[in-house]
Amino acid sequence: MKREIPYKIYLDEKELPKSWLNLRAFMQNKPAPLLNPQTLKPMTLEELSGVFCTELAKQELDDTSPYIPIPDEVRDFYKMYRPAPLVRAYCLEKALGTPAKIYYKFEGNNTSGSHKLNSAIAQAYYAKRQGLQGVTTETGAGQWGTALSMACSYFGLDCKVYMVKVSYEQKPFRREVMRTYGANVTPSPSNTTNIGRKILEEFPNTTGSLGCAISEAVEVAVNTDGYRYALGSVLNQVLLHQSVIGLEAKTAMDKYGVKPDVVIGCAGGGSNLGGLIAPFMAEKLQGKADYRFIAVEPASCPSLTRGKYAYDYCDTGKVCPLAKMYTLGSGFIPSANHAGGLRYHGMTSTLSELYAQGLMEARSVEQTSVFEAAEYFARVEGILPAPESSHAIRVAIDEAKKCKETGEEKTILFGLTGTGYFDMVAYEKFHNGEMSDYIPTEEDLAKGFAGIPDLKL
Ligand SMILES: *Cc1c(COP(=O)(O)O)cnc(C)c1O
């Protein structure tokens, strides 16, 4: 029976998912395994357990269990800010004059301001259960570092964050939120690690990159007793934890008998998109239903739309395992005028494989058009969106405009991953007309591609 649909569909606490959905279990062609960079053999549990908590290493390698129970302690934490609302964007539809029905899943309702807390709390829980003292990590725009700091303080763990230098300087308030939660924050590259010192020697004026901060955080984790490394995107375990986004969205839509025609999400390392599409893609893979999926990435860091599908290094220092993914090369650094996140050079292996199989589409968008969409959305829907999330807004609006032309009443679901309160410098640039679009040339890309290893596998 169809009911009239409210602006916000809230689920009951009891409807919070009890298990995460492991999308890989539904894939016939599995994502390629992580390789040991020395032996070029798939990483073993033992090897991965030196870097990650053992339970998380197991999750990383598990491509057969369709569902993995969410520990009660993690569910209890989720209850403080979940289930997250699914919003019917009536105001946006009206403003656009579109017959499309637009829904968004809002993940900005927590202090960290993004979906990253969904995985941070899981990773901190497993670290605590293993009796560790703390974890290390990197953060780019700062959302992941904030989320992990919150999760660590909840479980009484130490948290060492390597923050990309340019963000450390441009986002002092992000830094202070992390310190409020007790984290130790170091700008990267730093002289606290071998790789940091090496990079600083070679490039003394570098403003840092995610790939470099990852190398530093991993180096510290593997060389410090009682520490492991935590990563906020790209890995299979992170996509797994983020499946709560999609599971809740699907439960909410099912309640009202609504089925999305197209599911849209921004893609940096791919974790929110992987989580949002998880239950829908699982149905598609089982032949139970069909959906379109669109990954949206910045034109300045176009790993899916212009990258190569190959085994590549995950970090600048080449200390991490090799992953098969759409990549721009681990040495690729997006143009400095690119604001906000989504700057990672590669894409999670799960989404890479789905894209290679033609099960998902990808689109790249330029940043001024992203901020136009962000501002439009803020004015009609009230929420000030994160620049990353606004990539999805851009394409959702474009799809809704197409429906206006064709008269199709499509149902669009997109992920609104976070709020943009810490991104006002970027908004300021946009308002002052100082924002520009940089699209890497073929030459720029060729430089990055030259760093992809030729493995002759
Ligand atoms: C980190 C982040 C992203 C991109 O990361 P994914 O792993 O691709 O999801 C998108 N939106 C927000 C708000 C973020 O903090």
Side-chain angles (χ1 to χ4, degrees):
M1 188 191 74
K2 285 218 167 135
R3 279 178 276 178
E4 197 185 320
I5 295 163
Y7 272 75
K8 282 189 183 168
I9 306 177
Y10 284 107
L11 296 181
D12 196 85
E13 198 173 282
K14 291 194 291 289
E15 295 168 291
L16 190 68
K18 295 200 167 56
S19 297
W20 290 302
L21 189 156
N22 187 14
L23 188 51
R24 290 168 291 163
F26 297 86
M27 294 169 68
Q28 221 147 46
N29 298 325
K30 307 287 182 191
L34 293 170
L35 298 186
N36 178 317
Q38 267 93 50
T39 63
L40 300 186
K41 299 245 161 64
M43 290 290 286
T44 62
L45 179 61
E46 203 185 339
E47 288 168 334
L48 277 179
S49 301
V51 182
F52 304 112
C53 296
T54 309
E55 198 56 37
L56 291 166
K58 282 184 194 159
Q59 292 181 357
E60 196 57 36
L61 295 174
D62 185 343
D63 57 14
T64 52
S65 312
Y67 295 95
I68 295 179
I70 305 175
D72 284 343
E73 291 85 343
V74 174
R75 281 189 91 231
D76 284 345
F77 186 88
Y78 278 167
K79 285 174 193 167
M80 286 196 269
Y81 69 100
R82 309 200 70 83
L86 179 76
V87 184
R88 172 74 186 267
Y90 282 117
C91 300
L92 178 62
E93 291 169 18
K94 191 169 160 215
L96 292 169
T98 175
K101 298 175 179 65
I102 309 174
Y103 293 82
Y104 58 89
K105 180 73 172 160
F106 183 46
E107 290 291 323
N109 268 335
N110 68 76
T111 298
S112 82
S114 83
H115 66 286
K116 297 225 169 53
L117 197 54
N118 302 332
S119 182
I121 196 62
Q123 296 192 44
Y125 166 75
Y126 291 116
K128 185 66 183 179
R129 214 183 61 180
Q130 195 171 320
L132 297 180
Q133 186 187 334
V135 293
T136 71
T137 197
E138 76 297 321
T139 197
Q143 289 96 323
W144 168 245
T146 309
L148 193 64
S149 304
M150 289 177 69
C152 283
S153 84
Y154 182 75
F155 283 122
L157 289 163
D158 293 342
C159 182
K160 292 183 195 293
V161 181
Y162 284 85
M163 185 170 188
V164 177
K165 194 183 275 169
V166 60
S167 300
Y168 184 90
E169 285 160 4
Q170 284 182 358
K171 296 189 168 185
F173 296 143
R174 263 286 172 210
R175 191 175 76 210
E176 289 318 309
V177 180
M178 287 186 253
R179 291 173 64 194
T180 300
Y181 284 97
N184 176 298
V185 189
T186 308
S188 167
S190 74
N191 52 25
T192 65
T193 63
N194 291 328
I195 183 70
R197 284 186 290 270
K198 193 173 151 222
I199 291 171
L200 282 173
E201 225 165 79
E202 241 178 282
F203 310 100
N205 298 322
T206 178
T207 53
S209 70
L210 262 184
C212 167
I214 293 174
S215 300
E216 289 201 275
V218 172
E219 184 184 317
V220 172
V222 299
N223 293 310
T224 315
D225 270 348
Y227 276 79
R228 290 294 187 280
Y229 167 69
L231 182 62
S233 183
V234 186
L235 295 170
N236 293 314
Q237 56 187 280
V238 184
L239 266 73
L240 175 73
H241 306 147
Q242 294 299 355
S243 66
V244 290
I245 304 173
L247 288 165
E248 285 181 7
K250 186 150 191 317
T251 303
M253 293 188 122
D254 284 349
K255 269 193 168 183
Y256 289 91
V258 176
K259 180 182 166 294
D261 295 296
V262 52
V263 185
I264 301 167
C266 63
S271 73
N272 86 81
L273 179 62
L276 177 66
I277 70 173
F280 303 102
M281 183 62 93
E283 285 194 348
K284 181 168 169 137
L285 290 166
Q286 296 170 94
K288 288 184 181 167
D290 198 17
Y291 304 94
R292 272 178 72 206
F293 301 99
I294 308 178
V296 190
E297 56 185 17
S300 55
C301 193
S303 48
L304 284 172
T305 49
R306 293 175 72 196
K308 289 205 191 318
Y309 192 31
Y311 266 105
D312 194 11
Y313 302 104
C314 292
D315 61 321
T316 314
K318 305 178 183 175
V319 295
C320 295
L322 292 157
K324 190 175 179 196
M325 55 187 178
Y326 279 87
T327 178
L328 299 166
S330 59
F332 180 84
I333 296 184
S335 143
N337 64 15
H338 168 66
L342 312 179
R343 301 175 66 98
Y344 190 64
H345 66 274
M347 185 58 59
T348 176
S349 60
T350 301
L351 293 189
S352 290
E353 181 56 31
L354 292 168
Y355 181 63
Q357 289 175 33
L359 291 159
M360 188 181 81
E361 302 163 38
R363 219 171 277 175
S364 75
V365 288
E366 294 175 26
Q367 78 170 346
T368 48
S369 77
V370 166
F371 277 82
E372 277 159 22
E375 190 173 78
Y376 187 84
F377 184 82
R379 290 179 186 181
V380 298
E381 282 288 324
I383 294 171
L384 182 92
E388 295 89 344
S389 323
S390 306
H391 288 70
I393 298 176
R394 172 75 270 163
V395 170
I397 290 178
D398 291 346
E399 288 293 309
K401 281 184 172 165
K402 268 187 224 161
C403 291
K404 189 178 178 179
E405 284 163 26
T406 61
E408 281 173 293
E409 289 184 31
K410 277 191 192 156
T411 299
I412 298 170
L413 167 64
F414 74 89
L416 188 65
T417 50
T419 53
Y421 300 128
F422 290 104
D423 299 284
M424 297 322 290
V425 173
Y427 273 92
E428 180 186 37
K429 278 196 180 140
F430 173 67
H431 295 140
N432 290 347
E434 293 159 2
M435 183 165 270
S436 57
D437 298 313
Y438 186 79
I439 301 175
T441 62
E442 292 302 318
E443 220 183 338
D444 295 335
L445 293 185
K447 274 187 214 152
F449 293 150
I452 298 175
D454 185 8
L455 297 185
K456 310 228 165 39
L457 286 173

